[in-house]
PDB file of all heavy atoms in Angstrom:
ATOM      1  N   ALA A 424      -5.128 -19.833  -4.089  1.00 84.00           N
ATOM      2  CA  ALA A 424      -3.733 -20.281  -4.179  1.00 84.00           C
ATOM      3  C   ALA A 424      -3.606 -21.766  -4.479  1.00 84.00           C
ATOM      4  O   ALA A 424      -2.717 -22.179  -5.218  1.00 84.00           O
ATOM      5  CB  ALA A 424      -2.982 -19.932  -2.892  1.00 84.00           C
ATOM      6  N   HIS A 425      -4.482 -22.558  -3.918  1.00 77.00           N
ATOM      7  CA  HIS A 425      -4.386 -24.008  -4.122  1.00 77.00           C
ATOM      8  C   HIS A 425      -5.631 -24.557  -4.813  1.00 77.00           C
ATOM      9  O   HIS A 425      -5.904 -25.750  -4.752  1.00 77.00           O
ATOM     10  CB  HIS A 425      -4.163 -24.715  -2.782  1.00 77.00           C
ATOM     11  CG  HIS A 425      -2.924 -24.244  -2.098  1.00 77.00           C
ATOM     12  ND1 HIS A 425      -1.673 -24.506  -2.573  1.00 77.00           N
ATOM     13  CD2 HIS A 425      -2.750 -23.486  -0.988  1.00 77.00           C
ATOM     14  CE1 HIS A 425      -0.772 -23.952  -1.776  1.00 77.00           C
ATOM     15  NE2 HIS A 425      -1.411 -23.324  -0.806  1.00 77.00           N
ATOM     16  N   ALA A 426      -6.383 -23.665  -5.458  1.00 78.00           N
ATOM     17  CA  ALA A 426      -7.600 -24.095  -6.143  1.00 78.00           C
ATOM     18  C   ALA A 426      -7.253 -24.737  -7.479  1.00 78.00           C
ATOM     19  O   ALA A 426      -6.249 -24.408  -8.110  1.00 78.00           O
ATOM     20  CB  ALA A 426      -8.516 -22.894  -6.372  1.00 78.00           C
ATOM     21  N   ASN A 427      -8.108 -25.625  -7.904  1.00 75.00           N
ATOM     22  CA  ASN A 427      -7.969 -26.261  -9.204  1.00 75.00           C
ATOM     23  C   ASN A 427      -8.647 -25.339 -10.220  1.00 75.00           C
ATOM     24  O   ASN A 427      -9.867 -25.190 -10.222  1.00 75.00           O
ATOM     25  CB  ASN A 427      -8.623 -27.636  -9.175  1.00 75.00           C
ATOM     26  CG  ASN A 427      -8.476 -28.368 -10.478  1.00 75.00           C
ATOM     27  OD1 ASN A 427      -8.023 -27.821 -11.484  1.00 75.00           O
ATOM     28  ND2 ASN A 427      -8.867 -29.630 -10.474  1.00 75.00           N
ATOM     29  N   TRP A 428      -7.867 -24.737 -11.086  1.00 73.00           N
ATOM     30  CA  TRP A 428      -8.376 -23.750 -12.028  1.00 73.00           C
ATOM     31  C   TRP A 428      -9.423 -24.337 -12.976  1.00 73.00           C
ATOM     32  O   TRP A 428     -10.302 -23.631 -13.436  1.00 73.00           O
ATOM     33  CB  TRP A 428      -7.223 -23.164 -12.842  1.00 73.00           C
ATOM     34  CG  TRP A 428      -6.273 -22.400 -11.996  1.00 73.00           C
ATOM     35  CD1 TRP A 428      -5.295 -22.909 -11.192  1.00 73.00           C
ATOM     36  CD2 TRP A 428      -6.214 -21.002 -11.836  1.00 73.00           C
ATOM     37  NE1 TRP A 428      -4.632 -21.905 -10.539  1.00 73.00           N
ATOM     38  CE2 TRP A 428      -5.173 -20.708 -10.933  1.00 73.00           C
ATOM     39  CE3 TRP A 428      -6.935 -19.932 -12.376  1.00 73.00           C
ATOM     40  CZ2 TRP A 428      -4.846 -19.425 -10.558  1.00 73.00           C
ATOM     41  CZ3 TRP A 428      -6.588 -18.649 -12.003  1.00 73.00           C
ATOM     42  CH2 TRP A 428      -5.561 -18.416 -11.092  1.00 73.00           C
ATOM     43  N   ALA A 429      -9.328 -25.617 -13.268  1.00 77.00           N
ATOM     44  CA  ALA A 429     -10.248 -26.237 -14.221  1.00 77.00           C
ATOM     45  C   ALA A 429     -11.553 -26.690 -13.570  1.00 77.00           C
ATOM     46  O   ALA A 429     -12.518 -26.977 -14.271  1.00 77.00           O
ATOM     47  CB  ALA A 429      -9.565 -27.431 -14.886  1.00 77.00           C
ATOM     48  N   ASP A 430     -11.594 -26.746 -12.264  1.00 80.00           N
ATOM     49  CA  ASP A 430     -12.777 -27.229 -11.552  1.00 80.00           C
ATOM     50  C   ASP A 430     -13.829 -26.117 -11.472  1.00 80.00           C
ATOM     51  O   ASP A 430     -13.583 -25.043 -10.927  1.00 80.00           O
ATOM     52  CB  ASP A 430     -12.373 -27.674 -10.141  1.00 80.00           C
ATOM     53  CG  ASP A 430     -13.489 -28.375  -9.400  1.00 80.00           C
ATOM     54  OD1 ASP A 430     -14.652 -28.299  -9.844  1.00 80.00           O
ATOM     55  OD2 ASP A 430     -13.192 -29.008  -8.369  1.00 80.00           O
ATOM     56  N   PRO A 431     -15.038 -26.366 -12.004  1.00 84.00           N
ATOM     57  CA  PRO A 431     -16.078 -25.332 -11.973  1.00 84.00           C
ATOM     58  C   PRO A 431     -16.514 -24.945 -10.558  1.00 84.00           C
ATOM     59  O   PRO A 431     -17.085 -23.878 -10.356  1.00 84.00           O
ATOM     60  CB  PRO A 431     -17.249 -25.957 -12.735  1.00 84.00           C
ATOM     61  CG  PRO A 431     -16.806 -27.276 -13.223  1.00 84.00           C
ATOM     62  CD  PRO A 431     -15.449 -27.566 -12.714  1.00 84.00           C
ATOM     63  N   ALA A 432     -16.222 -25.784  -9.586  1.00 82.00           N
ATOM     64  CA  ALA A 432     -16.585 -25.455  -8.206  1.00 82.00           C
ATOM     65  C   ALA A 432     -15.831 -24.237  -7.699  1.00 82.00           C
ATOM     66  O   ALA A 432     -16.275 -23.566  -6.767  1.00 82.00           O
ATOM     67  CB  ALA A 432     -16.310 -26.654  -7.291  1.00 82.00           C
ATOM     68  N   PHE A 433     -14.700 -23.922  -8.297  1.00 84.00           N
ATOM     69  CA  PHE A 433     -13.895 -22.781  -7.873  1.00 84.00           C
ATOM     70  C   PHE A 433     -14.149 -21.528  -8.714  1.00 84.00           C
ATOM     71  O   PHE A 433     -13.459 -20.526  -8.540  1.00 84.00           O
ATOM     72  CB  PHE A 433     -12.401 -23.130  -7.909  1.00 84.00           C
ATOM     73  CG  PHE A 433     -12.015 -24.179  -6.911  1.00 84.00           C
ATOM     74  CD1 PHE A 433     -11.670 -25.461  -7.320  1.00 84.00           C
ATOM     75  CD2 PHE A 433     -11.991 -23.883  -5.554  1.00 84.00           C
ATOM     76  CE1 PHE A 433     -11.301 -26.426  -6.393  1.00 84.00           C
ATOM     77  CE2 PHE A 433     -11.633 -24.840  -4.626  1.00 84.00           C
ATOM     78  CZ  PHE A 433     -11.294 -26.120  -5.047  1.00 84.00           C
ATOM     79  N   ALA A 434     -15.109 -21.584  -9.611  1.00 86.00           N
ATOM     80  CA  ALA A 434     -15.366 -20.452 -10.509  1.00 86.00           C
ATOM     81  C   ALA A 434     -15.685 -19.170  -9.742  1.00 86.00           C
ATOM     82  O   ALA A 434     -15.211 -18.083 -10.091  1.00 86.00           O
ATOM     83  CB  ALA A 434     -16.492 -20.793 -11.477  1.00 86.00           C
ATOM     84  N   ASP A 435     -16.500 -19.276  -8.688  1.00 89.00           N
ATOM     85  CA  ASP A 435     -16.841 -18.087  -7.899  1.00 89.00           C
ATOM     86  C   ASP A 435     -15.613 -17.507  -7.212  1.00 89.00           C
ATOM     87  O   ASP A 435     -15.485 -16.281  -7.081  1.00 89.00           O
ATOM     88  CB  ASP A 435     -17.914 -18.423  -6.858  1.00 89.00           C
ATOM     89  CG  ASP A 435     -19.267 -18.675  -7.488  1.00 89.00           C
ATOM     90  OD1 ASP A 435     -19.472 -18.289  -8.656  1.00 89.00           O
ATOM     91  OD2 ASP A 435     -20.125 -19.258  -6.805  1.00 89.00           O
ATOM     92  N   TRP A 436     -14.722 -18.361  -6.745  1.00 88.00           N
ATOM     93  CA  TRP A 436     -13.498 -17.885  -6.098  1.00 88.00           C
ATOM     94  C   TRP A 436     -12.631 -17.132  -7.095  1.00 88.00           C
ATOM     95  O   TRP A 436     -12.051 -16.093  -6.760  1.00 88.00           O
ATOM     96  CB  TRP A 436     -12.714 -19.046  -5.500  1.00 88.00           C
ATOM     97  CG  TRP A 436     -13.341 -19.695  -4.315  1.00 88.00           C
ATOM     98  CD1 TRP A 436     -14.605 -19.511  -3.824  1.00 88.00           C
ATOM     99  CD2 TRP A 436     -12.718 -20.641  -3.452  1.00 88.00           C
ATOM    100  NE1 TRP A 436     -14.806 -20.293  -2.717  1.00 88.00           N
ATOM    101  CE2 TRP A 436     -13.666 -20.997  -2.468  1.00 88.00           C
ATOM    102  CE3 TRP A 436     -11.472 -21.240  -3.430  1.00 88.00           C
ATOM    103  CZ2 TRP A 436     -13.385 -21.906  -1.458  1.00 88.00           C
ATOM    104  CZ3 TRP A 436     -11.197 -22.142  -2.421  1.00 88.00           C
ATOM    105  CH2 TRP A 436     -12.146 -22.477  -1.447  1.00 88.00           C
ATOM    106  N   LEU A 437     -12.530 -17.650  -8.300  1.00 89.00           N
ATOM    107  CA  LEU A 437     -11.724 -16.991  -9.329  1.00 89.00           C
ATOM    108  C   LEU A 437     -12.338 -15.651  -9.718  1.00 89.00           C
ATOM    109  O   LEU A 437     -11.622 -14.662  -9.900  1.00 89.00           O
ATOM    110  CB  LEU A 437     -11.577 -17.900 -10.547  1.00 89.00           C
ATOM    111  CG  LEU A 437     -10.828 -19.203 -10.314  1.00 89.00           C
ATOM    112  CD1 LEU A 437     -10.923 -20.108 -11.540  1.00 89.00           C
ATOM    113  CD2 LEU A 437      -9.382 -18.940  -9.961  1.00 89.00           C
ATOM    114  N   THR A 438     -13.657 -15.612  -9.808  1.00 90.00           N
ATOM    115  CA  THR A 438     -14.353 -14.367 -10.131  1.00 90.00           C
ATOM    116  C   THR A 438     -14.131 -13.337  -9.019  1.00 90.00           C
ATOM    117  O   THR A 438     -13.870 -12.160  -9.299  1.00 90.00           O
ATOM    118  CB  THR A 438     -15.863 -14.628 -10.319  1.00 90.00           C
ATOM    119  OG1 THR A 438     -16.024 -15.593 -11.355  1.00 90.00           O
ATOM    120  CG2 THR A 438     -16.606 -13.364 -10.663  1.00 90.00           C
ATOM    121  N   GLU A 439     -14.213 -13.774  -7.779  1.00 91.00           N
ATOM    122  CA  GLU A 439     -13.995 -12.872  -6.638  1.00 91.00           C
ATOM    123  C   GLU A 439     -12.559 -12.347  -6.614  1.00 91.00           C
ATOM    124  O   GLU A 439     -12.317 -11.170  -6.350  1.00 91.00           O
ATOM    125  CB  GLU A 439     -14.321 -13.599  -5.329  1.00 91.00           C
ATOM    126  CG  GLU A 439     -14.079 -12.773  -4.085  1.00 91.00           C
ATOM    127  CD  GLU A 439     -14.968 -11.551  -3.962  1.00 91.00           C
ATOM    128  OE1 GLU A 439     -15.992 -11.471  -4.665  1.00 91.00           O
ATOM    129  OE2 GLU A 439     -14.632 -10.658  -3.169  1.00 91.00           O
ATOM    130  N   ALA A 440     -11.615 -13.223  -6.903  1.00 91.00           N
ATOM    131  CA  ALA A 440     -10.209 -12.797  -6.923  1.00 91.00           C
ATOM    132  C   ALA A 440      -9.983 -11.741  -8.003  1.00 91.00           C
ATOM    133  O   ALA A 440      -9.286 -10.742  -7.776  1.00 91.00           O
ATOM    134  CB  ALA A 440      -9.291 -14.000  -7.143  1.00 91.00           C
ATOM    135  N   GLU A 441     -10.585 -11.934  -9.158  1.00 93.00           N
ATOM    136  CA  GLU A 441     -10.438 -10.951 -10.229  1.00 93.00           C
ATOM    137  C   GLU A 441     -11.126  -9.644  -9.858  1.00 93.00           C
ATOM    138  O   GLU A 441     -10.608  -8.562 -10.121  1.00 93.00           O
ATOM    139  CB  GLU A 441     -11.011 -11.504 -11.536  1.00 93.00           C
ATOM    140  CG  GLU A 441     -10.789 -10.601 -12.719  1.00 93.00           C
ATOM    141  CD  GLU A 441      -9.318 -10.271 -12.991  1.00 93.00           C
ATOM    142  OE1 GLU A 441      -8.437 -11.112 -12.737  1.00 93.00           O
ATOM    143  OE2 GLU A 441      -9.058  -9.142 -13.451  1.00 93.00           O
ATOM    144  N   ARG A 442     -12.291  -9.732  -9.225  1.00 95.00           N
ATOM    145  CA  ARG A 442     -13.004  -8.521  -8.799  1.00 95.00           C
ATOM    146  C   ARG A 442     -12.187  -7.723  -7.795  1.00 95.00           C
ATOM    147  O   ARG A 442     -12.076  -6.504  -7.889  1.00 95.00           O
ATOM    148  CB  ARG A 442     -14.365  -8.879  -8.197  1.00 95.00           C
ATOM    149  CG  ARG A 442     -15.227  -7.649  -7.885  1.00 95.00           C
ATOM    150  CD  ARG A 442     -16.465  -7.997  -7.068  1.00 95.00           C
ATOM    151  NE  ARG A 442     -16.157  -8.543  -5.762  1.00 95.00           N
ATOM    152  CZ  ARG A 442     -15.732  -7.819  -4.703  1.00 95.00           C
ATOM    153  NH1 ARG A 442     -15.551  -6.535  -4.822  1.00 95.00           N
ATOM    154  NH2 ARG A 442     -15.497  -8.396  -3.541  1.00 95.00           N
ATOM    155  N   THR A 443     -11.599  -8.403  -6.813  1.00 96.00           N
ATOM    156  CA  THR A 443     -10.805  -7.676  -5.820  1.00 96.00           C
ATOM    157  C   THR A 443      -9.532  -7.096  -6.441  1.00 96.00           C
ATOM    158  O   THR A 443      -9.095  -6.019  -6.050  1.00 96.00           O
ATOM    159  CB  THR A 443     -10.431  -8.565  -4.618  1.00 96.00           C
ATOM    160  OG1 THR A 443      -9.690  -9.693  -5.057  1.00 96.00           O
ATOM    161  CG2 THR A 443     -11.659  -8.996  -3.851  1.00 96.00           C
ATOM    162  N   ARG A 444      -8.969  -7.782  -7.404  1.00 94.00           N
ATOM    163  CA  ARG A 444      -7.791  -7.251  -8.106  1.00 94.00           C
ATOM    164  C   ARG A 444      -8.148  -5.958  -8.840  1.00 94.00           C
ATOM    165  O   ARG A 444      -7.433  -4.962  -8.760  1.00 94.00           O
ATOM    166  CB  ARG A 444      -7.232  -8.288  -9.070  1.00 94.00           C
ATOM    167  CG  ARG A 444      -6.001  -7.833  -9.823  1.00 94.00           C
ATOM    168  CD  ARG A 444      -5.492  -8.933 -10.721  1.00 94.00           C
ATOM    169  NE  ARG A 444      -4.908  -9.999  -9.934  1.00 94.00           N
ATOM    170  CZ  ARG A 444      -3.600 -10.174  -9.780  1.00 94.00           C
ATOM    171  NH1 ARG A 444      -2.758  -9.352 -10.365  1.00 94.00           N
ATOM    172  NH2 ARG A 444      -3.146 -11.156  -9.049  1.00 94.00           N
ATOM    173  N   VAL A 445      -9.276  -5.965  -9.540  1.00 96.00           N
ATOM    174  CA  VAL A 445      -9.730  -4.779 -10.265  1.00 96.00           C
ATOM    175  C   VAL A 445     -10.029  -3.635  -9.293  1.00 96.00           C
ATOM    176  O   VAL A 445      -9.649  -2.485  -9.526  1.00 96.00           O
ATOM    177  CB  VAL A 445     -10.964  -5.115 -11.141  1.00 96.00           C
ATOM    178  CG1 VAL A 445     -11.635  -3.869 -11.676  1.00 96.00           C
ATOM    179  CG2 VAL A 445     -10.556  -6.039 -12.281  1.00 96.00           C
ATOM    180  N   THR A 446     -10.692  -3.944  -8.179  1.00 97.00           N
ATOM    181  CA  THR A 446     -11.002  -2.933  -7.161  1.00 97.00           C
ATOM    182  C   THR A 446      -9.723  -2.350  -6.565  1.00 97.00           C
ATOM    183  O   THR A 446      -9.616  -1.142  -6.359  1.00 97.00           O
ATOM    184  CB  THR A 446     -11.878  -3.549  -6.050  1.00 97.00           C
ATOM    185  OG1 THR A 446     -13.070  -4.053  -6.633  1.00 97.00           O
ATOM    186  CG2 THR A 446     -12.230  -2.528  -4.988  1.00 97.00           C
ATOM    187  N   THR A 447      -8.753  -3.210  -6.307  1.00 97.00           N
ATOM    188  CA  THR A 447      -7.481  -2.752  -5.748  1.00 97.00           C
ATOM    189  C   THR A 447      -6.746  -1.866  -6.736  1.00 97.00           C
ATOM    190  O   THR A 447      -6.223  -0.803  -6.370  1.00 97.00           O
ATOM    191  CB  THR A 447      -6.602  -3.952  -5.340  1.00 97.00           C
ATOM    192  OG1 THR A 447      -7.333  -4.758  -4.408  1.00 97.00           O
ATOM    193  CG2 THR A 447      -5.308  -3.498  -4.710  1.00 97.00           C
ATOM    194  N   LEU A 448      -6.714  -2.263  -8.001  1.00 97.00           N
ATOM    195  CA  LEU A 448      -6.060  -1.440  -9.027  1.00 97.00           C
ATOM    196  C   LEU A 448      -6.768  -0.092  -9.181  1.00 97.00           C
ATOM    197  O   LEU A 448      -6.109   0.935  -9.380  1.00 97.00           O
ATOM    198  CB  LEU A 448      -6.003  -2.181 -10.358  1.00 97.00           C
ATOM    199  CG  LEU A 448      -4.977  -3.313 -10.435  1.00 97.00           C
ATOM    200  CD1 LEU A 448      -5.187  -4.153 -11.687  1.00 97.00           C
ATOM    201  CD2 LEU A 448      -3.560  -2.762 -10.382  1.00 97.00           C
ATOM    202  N   ALA A 449      -8.085  -0.074  -9.058  1.00 97.00           N
ATOM    203  CA  ALA A 449      -8.826   1.192  -9.128  1.00 97.00           C
ATOM    204  C   ALA A 449      -8.469   2.086  -7.936  1.00 97.00           C
ATOM    205  O   ALA A 449      -8.310   3.305  -8.082  1.00 97.00           O
ATOM    206  CB  ALA A 449     -10.325   0.930  -9.164  1.00 97.00           C
ATOM    207  N   GLY A 450      -8.330   1.490  -6.745  1.00 97.00           N
ATOM    208  CA  GLY A 450      -7.908   2.249  -5.568  1.00 97.00           C
ATOM    209  C   GLY A 450      -6.504   2.812  -5.727  1.00 97.00           C
ATOM    210  O   GLY A 450      -6.211   3.932  -5.299  1.00 97.00           O
ATOM    211  N   MET A 451      -5.647   2.035  -6.361  1.00 97.00           N
ATOM    212  CA  MET A 451      -4.279   2.501  -6.609  1.00 97.00           C
ATOM    213  C   MET A 451      -4.283   3.660  -7.602  1.00 97.00           C
ATOM    214  O   MET A 451      -3.564   4.650  -7.411  1.00 97.00           O
ATOM    215  CB  MET A 451      -3.411   1.353  -7.117  1.00 97.00           C
ATOM    216  CG  MET A 451      -3.123   0.326  -6.060  1.00 97.00           C
ATOM    217  SD  MET A 451      -2.231  -1.087  -6.753  1.00 97.00           S
ATOM    218  CE  MET A 451      -1.717  -1.897  -5.237  1.00 97.00           C
ATOM    219  N   ALA A 452      -5.091   3.560  -8.636  1.00 97.00           N
ATOM    220  CA  ALA A 452      -5.191   4.652  -9.611  1.00 97.00           C
ATOM    221  C   ALA A 452      -5.713   5.925  -8.947  1.00 97.00           C
ATOM    222  O   ALA A 452      -5.256   7.036  -9.261  1.00 97.00           O
ATOM    223  CB  ALA A 452      -6.107   4.236 -10.761  1.00 97.00           C
ATOM    224  N   GLU A 453      -6.625   5.760  -8.004  1.00 97.00           N
ATOM    225  CA  GLU A 453      -7.166   6.911  -7.274  1.00 97.00           C
ATOM    226  C   GLU A 453      -6.061   7.620  -6.471  1.00 97.00           C
ATOM    227  O   GLU A 453      -5.979   8.846  -6.473  1.00 97.00           O
ATOM    228  CB  GLU A 453      -8.276   6.430  -6.342  1.00 97.00           C
ATOM    229  CG  GLU A 453      -9.067   7.526  -5.692  1.00 97.00           C
ATOM    230  CD  GLU A 453     -10.178   6.981  -4.810  1.00 97.00           C
ATOM    231  OE1 GLU A 453     -10.635   5.843  -5.017  1.00 97.00           O
ATOM    232  OE2 GLU A 453     -10.578   7.725  -3.894  1.00 97.00           O
ATOM    233  N   VAL A 454      -5.208   6.839  -5.807  1.00 97.00           N
ATOM    234  CA  VAL A 454      -4.088   7.431  -5.060  1.00 97.00           C
ATOM    235  C   VAL A 454      -3.155   8.170  -6.016  1.00 97.00           C
ATOM    236  O   VAL A 454      -2.717   9.292  -5.740  1.00 97.00           O
ATOM    237  CB  VAL A 454      -3.302   6.349  -4.280  1.00 97.00           C
ATOM    238  CG1 VAL A 454      -2.013   6.921  -3.709  1.00 97.00           C
ATOM    239  CG2 VAL A 454      -4.150   5.776  -3.153  1.00 97.00           C
ATOM    240  N   LEU A 455      -2.870   7.565  -7.150  1.00 96.00           N
ATOM    241  CA  LEU A 455      -1.918   8.154  -8.096  1.00 96.00           C
ATOM    242  C   LEU A 455      -2.461   9.395  -8.791  1.00 96.00           C
ATOM    243  O   LEU A 455      -1.686  10.197  -9.299  1.00 96.00           O
ATOM    244  CB  LEU A 455      -1.483   7.110  -9.121  1.00 96.00           C
ATOM    245  CG  LEU A 455      -0.719   5.920  -8.533  1.00 96.00           C
ATOM    246  CD1 LEU A 455      -0.437   4.879  -9.597  1.00 96.00           C
ATOM    247  CD2 LEU A 455       0.563   6.378  -7.851  1.00 96.00           C
ATOM    248  N   ASP A 456      -3.773   9.571  -8.795  1.00 97.00           N
ATOM    249  CA  ASP A 456      -4.378  10.759  -9.411  1.00 97.00           C
ATOM    250  C   ASP A 456      -4.288  11.990  -8.519  1.00 97.00           C
ATOM    251  O   ASP A 456      -4.483  13.111  -8.986  1.00 97.00           O
ATOM    252  CB  ASP A 456      -5.850  10.499  -9.743  1.00 97.00           C
ATOM    253  CG  ASP A 456      -6.019   9.594 -10.950  1.00 97.00           C
ATOM    254  OD1 ASP A 456      -5.054   9.426 -11.722  1.00 97.00           O
ATOM    255  OD2 ASP A 456      -7.133   9.040 -11.108  1.00 97.00           O
ATOM    256  N   LEU A 457      -3.997  11.806  -7.238  1.00 95.00           N
ATOM    257  CA  LEU A 457      -3.982  12.923  -6.288  1.00 95.00           C
ATOM    258  C   LEU A 457      -2.621  13.624  -6.275  1.00 95.00           C
ATOM    259  O   LEU A 457      -1.590  13.024  -6.576  1.00 95.00           O
ATOM    260  CB  LEU A 457      -4.330  12.415  -4.888  1.00 95.00           C
ATOM    261  CG  LEU A 457      -5.730  11.814  -4.756  1.00 95.00           C
ATOM    262  CD1 LEU A 457      -5.891  11.116  -3.417  1.00 95.00           C
ATOM    263  CD2 LEU A 457      -6.783  12.892  -4.940  1.00 95.00           C
ATOM    264  N   GLN A 458      -2.652  14.893  -5.889  1.00 95.00           N
ATOM    265  CA  GLN A 458      -1.431  15.700  -5.821  1.00 95.00           C
ATOM    266  C   GLN A 458      -0.712  15.504  -4.489  1.00 95.00           C
ATOM    267  O   GLN A 458      -1.357  15.365  -3.440  1.00 95.00           O
ATOM    268  CB  GLN A 458      -1.774  17.192  -5.978  1.00 95.00           C
ATOM    269  CG  GLN A 458      -2.357  17.540  -7.328  1.00 95.00           C
ATOM    270  CD  GLN A 458      -1.381  17.322  -8.455  1.00 95.00           C
ATOM    271  OE1 GLN A 458      -0.201  17.631  -8.339  1.00 95.00           O
ATOM    272  NE2 GLN A 458      -1.859  16.755  -9.541  1.00 95.00           N
ATOM    273  N   ILE A 459       0.609  15.518  -4.523  1.00 94.00           N
ATOM    274  CA  ILE A 459       1.424  15.425  -3.314  1.00 94.00           C
ATOM    275  C   ILE A 459       1.341  16.758  -2.584  1.00 94.00           C
ATOM    276  O   ILE A 459       1.580  17.817  -3.168  1.00 94.00           O
ATOM    277  CB  ILE A 459       2.892  15.080  -3.658  1.00 94.00           C
ATOM    278  CG1 ILE A 459       2.950  13.664  -4.219  1.00 94.00           C
ATOM    279  CG2 ILE A 459       3.795  15.243  -2.461  1.00 94.00           C
ATOM    280  CD1 ILE A 459       4.320  13.242  -4.697  1.00 94.00           C
ATOM    281  N   GLU A 460       0.981  16.708  -1.298  1.00 93.00           N
ATOM    282  CA  GLU A 460       0.855  17.925  -0.508  1.00 93.00           C
ATOM    283  C   GLU A 460       1.968  18.094   0.512  1.00 93.00           C
ATOM    284  O   GLU A 460       2.223  19.201   0.954  1.00 93.00           O
ATOM    285  CB  GLU A 460      -0.504  17.957   0.198  1.00 93.00           C
ATOM    286  CG  GLU A 460      -1.650  18.139  -0.753  1.00 93.00           C
ATOM    287  CD  GLU A 460      -2.974  18.357  -0.057  1.00 93.00           C
ATOM    288  OE1 GLU A 460      -2.994  18.483   1.190  1.00 93.00           O
ATOM    289  OE2 GLU A 460      -3.988  18.400  -0.761  1.00 93.00           O
ATOM    290  N   ARG A 461       2.574  16.993   0.933  1.00 91.00           N
ATOM    291  CA  ARG A 461       3.689  17.086   1.869  1.00 91.00           C
ATOM    292  C   ARG A 461       4.663  15.950   1.571  1.00 91.00           C
ATOM    293  O   ARG A 461       4.340  15.011   0.852  1.00 91.00           O
ATOM    294  CB  ARG A 461       3.213  17.068   3.325  1.00 91.00           C
ATOM    295  CG  ARG A 461       2.496  15.822   3.749  1.00 91.00           C
ATOM    296  CD  ARG A 461       2.060  15.908   5.208  1.00 91.00           C
ATOM    297  NE  ARG A 461       1.234  14.765   5.539  1.00 91.00           N
ATOM    298  CZ  ARG A 461       0.222  14.783   6.369  1.00 91.00           C
ATOM    299  NH1 ARG A 461      -0.090  15.887   6.993  1.00 91.00           N
ATOM    300  NH2 ARG A 461      -0.476  13.692   6.608  1.00 91.00           N
ATOM    301  N   VAL A 462       5.839  16.052   2.135  1.00 91.00           N
ATOM    302  CA  VAL A 462       6.912  15.105   1.856  1.00 91.00           C
ATOM    303  C   VAL A 462       6.496  13.673   2.170  1.00 91.00           C
ATOM    304  O   VAL A 462       6.863  12.738   1.458  1.00 91.00           O
ATOM    305  CB  VAL A 462       8.185  15.491   2.661  1.00 91.00           C
ATOM    306  CG1 VAL A 462       9.280  14.469   2.481  1.00 91.00           C
ATOM    307  CG2 VAL A 462       8.661  16.865   2.243  1.00 91.00           C
ATOM    308  N   SER A 463       5.704  13.472   3.200  1.00 92.00           N
ATOM    309  CA  SER A 463       5.293  12.120   3.583  1.00 92.00           C
ATOM    310  C   SER A 463       4.362  11.475   2.558  1.00 92.00           C
ATOM    311  O   SER A 463       4.139  10.265   2.602  1.00 92.00           O
ATOM    312  CB  SER A 463       4.629  12.139   4.961  1.00 92.00           C
ATOM    313  OG  SER A 463       3.474  12.935   4.934  1.00 92.00           O
TER     314      SER A 463
END
Side-chain angles (χ1 to χ4, degrees):
H425 301 292
N427 182 351
W428 295 79
D430 188 346
F433 294 109
D435 289 343
W436 290 10
L437 296 172
T438 302
E439 178 65 16
E441 185 57 33
R442 187 190 63 76
T443 59
R444 181 178 289 258
V445 168
T446 301
T447 303
L448 286 169
M451 290 174 167
E453 189 178 336
V454 170
L455 296 175
D456 286 343
L457 297 170
Q458 296 295 319
I459 293 175
E460 291 188 6
R461 62 180 173 215
V462 175
S463 62

